[in-house]
Amino acid sequence: MTARKAFEIGGKSFDPGTDGIVELPVSQMPDHTPVTMAVHVFHGKKPGPVIFVSAAIHGDEVIGVEVVRRLLRAKPIERLAGTLLAVPIVNSFGFINHSRYLPDRRDLNRCFPGHPSGSLAARLAHIFMTEVVARSDLGIDLHSAAIRRENLPQIRLTPGNARLADMGRAFGAPVMLQSKLRDGSLRFAAEEAGCDVLLYEAGEGLRFDEYAARAGLSGILRVMHHLGMIGPRGVPHVRTPPLLSERSSWQRAPLGGLLRTYRTIGDYVTEGEVLGVVADPTGDVEEEVLSEMEGIIIGRTNMPVVNEGDALFHVALTPSTKVAEAVVDGMSAQREAAPLFDEDEII
């Protein structure tokens, strides 16, 4: 039997059965402080696929950083087949500054595959593509809504990609939404390079959410088990199969004013149902916000002060009332479950 080879990345070598961190040089701050991208490498003793899990491509999306932190401490990955590349913070600049963007206001997720001599964003994207994506067979990219918005845990799928649909079902988030690839995004560039990427959306920018963190960690472990990278022990079962939605719609503010919400993420709503009311500060003018379709609310604003045209509620179309009700019931059971704590957090 041929011995498994060491894994090479960033000038470092990891023997089978070992793990460690490699710091990929990115740039320097104006005060000459070096900036690196930390990649935690787990190189299993047994052969298997190479997957990456990345977070904080948008620096304010901290929920993904927490999911990766929990993944690095998860017992199932101690006996790993294949290789895991975990990148808790891709955009260190945005993370430090509590910002979605890089210092030059560029959105990193519109700059892939990048260029070695381009803008700061292009150089960072190039490093991630050449060092991480090019070595991987599959990726899981963790995101959240922007600040003052909240997303239900969901998977975004490339239409027509059967492999990603299979991985999405294994992940087990409440909703899977078909979402077209956008030029310059990590998903687009990675798939062009032959590495499919599952995109996980959950929670709110600059906020922690226990349900979102728990769903993210559970989903990653399920995908790794589905790929044969880890055993079944410690991997949560999917209570309800995810709902696959082919279409979604944002319900927008009919006028500027104060928003009173009647429904929230995870709620099943019918076409024409009142989701909230927008009123002017004097109360002389009020207008209802109605759902344009039957479905599940997968995103919403948390801001009570809104402008005309602001996106307020994101509703995903459901294939049937029965399927929607089953998903909602499954989410309620998971939300009521006891939180998952690290061993050193239990008093």
Side-chain angles (χ1 to χ4, degrees):
M1 183 176 179
T2 305
R4 181 158 157 76
K5 294 181 179 180
F7 188 83
E8 308 281 344
I9 180 173
K12 292 185 70 174
S13 179
F14 295 86
D15 291 328
T18 65
D19 70 275
I21 297 175
V22 58
E23 301 282 355
L24 302 177
V26 173
S27 179
Q28 289 181 332
M29 302 287 278
D31 66 353
H32 215 62
T33 302
V35 178
T36 62
M37 183 192 304
V39 182
H40 201 130
V41 180
F42 288 82
H43 189 45
K45 290 183 178 180
K46 298 180 180 179
V50 179
I51 74 166
F52 74 82
V53 178
S54 57
I57 278 183
H58 295 131
D60 61 351
E61 296 179 352
V62 298
I63 190 65
V65 183
E66 171 65 6
V67 172
V68 175
R69 187 193 71 82
R70 296 186 185 196
L71 175 64
L72 295 176
R73 299 169 65 94
K75 292 291 185 182
I77 69 170
E78 292 178 357
R79 294 184 177 181
L80 182 72
T83 305
L84 168 66
L85 307 178
V87 189
I89 303 170
V90 178
N91 178 4
S92 297
F93 303 93
F95 183 79
I96 292 169
N97 293 309
H98 305 166
S99 171
R100 178 181 179 87
Y101 304 107
L102 285 140
D104 59 4
R105 296 294 297 169
R106 280 184 169 87
D107 183 339
L108 179 58
N109 210 27
R110 296 294 177 267
C111 297
F112 286 94
H115 193 278
S117 58
S119 66
L120 176 60
R123 295 176 187 219
L124 179 54
H126 175 74
I127 291 168
F128 190 77
M129 286 292 298
T130 55
E131 292 287 352
V132 178
V133 175
R135 289 175 164 82
S136 303
D137 304 305
L138 177 75
I140 302 175
D141 191 28
L142 309 174
H143 288 262
S144 75
I147 58 172
R148 304 188 185 98
R149 295 189 183 278
E150 183 180 7
N151 278 339
L152 181 76
Q154 59 196 263
I155 286 291
R156 302 287 176 87
L157 299 174
T158 306
N161 190 318
R163 183 191 183 202
L164 280 182
D166 182 50
M167 293 298 107
R169 286 188 291 269
F171 193 102
V175 175
M176 297 193 301
L177 183 65
Q178 292 193 356
S179 176
K180 293 181 180 179
L181 294 172
R182 298 190 64 169
D183 189 26
S185 68
L186 171 60
R187 277 205 304 153
F188 182 85
E191 290 192 29
E192 286 280 297
C195 177
D196 290 332
V197 176
L198 276 180
L199 192 153
Y200 175 67
E201 285 272 5
E204 178 184 357
L206 297 179
R207 295 288 184 274
F208 272 6
D209 181 305
E210 177 60 29
Y211 176 47
R214 189 189 310 154
L217 174 60
S218 298
I220 294 168
L221 294 176
R222 290 188 196 110
V223 169
M224 294 180 71
H225 174 56
H226 186 71
L227 293 171
M229 299 179 71
I230 58 176
R233 188 174 181 180
V235 179
H237 296 289
V238 178
R239 301 192 182 195
T240 307
L243 180 151
L244 175 61
S245 179
E246 298 181 354
R247 184 164 63 93
S248 66
S249 175
W250 275 100
Q251 316 307 305
R252 298 184 177 273
L255 72 157
L258 302 176
L259 170 67
R260 305 196 308 275
T261 59
Y262 299 154
R263 308 307 298 266
T264 190
I265 59 168
D267 285 351
Y268 165 71
V269 296
T270 57
E271 183 178 355
E273 184 170 342
V274 179
L275 306 179
V277 172
V278 180
D280 69 0
T282 65
D284 292 336
V285 180
E286 289 194 351
E287 203 162 329
E288 295 176 335
V289 181
L290 306 178
S291 177
E292 297 177 359
M293 63 175 68
E294 177 184 13
I296 291 178
I297 298 176
I298 60 172
R300 55 157 281 184
T301 181
N302 288 327
M303 277 291 289
V305 181
V306 300
N307 292 301
E308 182 175 345
D310 281 356
L312 305 182
F313 298 91
H314 193 191
V315 180
L317 180 69
T318 57
S320 71
T321 302
K322 184 178 180 180
V323 170
E325 290 175 344
V327 171
V328 171
D329 289 343
M331 286 189 291
S332 297
Q334 291 181 55
R335 280 174 167 163
E336 292 169 2
L340 299 177
F341 293 104
D342 296 324
E343 288 298 321
D344 58 357
E345 294 175 341
I346 299 174
I347 300 175

